[in-house]
Amino acid sequence: MAVLVVEHVPGEGPYAIGPALDAAGLRTRLCRVWAGDVLPESLVGIEALVVMGGPMAAHSDDGIFSAGLLDHLAEPAAALREWARVVRPGGTLLLFHPSGRAERAARHGRPPSPDDPLAEPNLRPMLTAGGWRTEEYDDARAYFLTRAVRTG
């Protein structure tokens, strides 16, 4: 399996995610749109997709969809603040994972960690401090979904 990294402008690169992917034993496939590389017709063999969009202006986007990312970041609160900078007031943040926290923890042979950034007592204050208002928090067995709206 591989991770497809799509670069839109020169010099974006996968930055810190590159060494993390290497450490996880995932090979990276690079598509440089700016250099004329053609996106693959099929994503067979691609386990994940990283789209590099370059620097984004403040309040330039209507929303962000993050799947299975926040709990893997060294500084999840910083990511929430940066996403709030980019999303216009009233915009939406969706945090998603195709399995709930308890199911993921069970797959690793442990109970859910109280330190998990996706645990409701941790996530709600981080969202609020980052400029978001939590509208929905659903940590179901089959999925995790939090929907927040950009304040300000």
Side-chain angles (χ1 to χ4, degrees), residues 57-146:
H59 305 241
S60 62
D61 212 330
D62 291 329
I64 290 180
F65 175 78
S66 171
L69 174 66
L70 194 68
D71 56 326
H72 295 288
L73 298 175
E75 297 183 37
L80 293 171
R81 288 190 304 273
E82 174 59 13
W83 294 340
R85 183 191 69 77
V86 169
V87 172
R88 66 170 175 73
T92 301
L93 170 65
L94 295 174
L95 303 174
F96 174 79
H97 197 285
S99 57
R101 293 177 52 250
E103 182 178 306
R104 288 195 314 278
R107 278 198 311 258
H108 295 284
R110 58 174 171 72
S113 169
D115 297 329
D116 182 347
L118 297 180
E120 191 169 13
N122 302 330
L123 184 57
R124 280 187 183 268
M126 260 196 305
L127 284 164
T128 300
W132 300 96
R133 180 180 66 250
T134 305
E135 296 284 315
E136 177 181 356
Y137 180 92
D138 191 357
D139 187 10
R141 177 175 166 71
Y143 64 88
F144 173 89
L145 176 67
T146 293

Side-chain angles (χ1 to χ4, degrees), residues 7-68:
E7 290 182 353
H8 284 97
V9 296
E12 285 179 325
Y15 302 114
I17 199 169
L21 295 173
D22 290 342
L26 296 170
R27 65 185 176 85
T28 302
R29 180 174 169 190
L30 183 62
C31 177
R32 300 166 306 146
V33 175
W34 57 270
D37 292 354
V38 178
L39 288 170
E41 290 184 28
S42 168
L43 294 181
V44 172
I46 302 296
E47 188 171 358
L49 176 65
V50 176
V51 179
M52 309 302 293
M56 297 183 74
H59 305 241
S60 62
D61 212 330
D62 291 329
I64 290 180
F65 175 78
S66 171

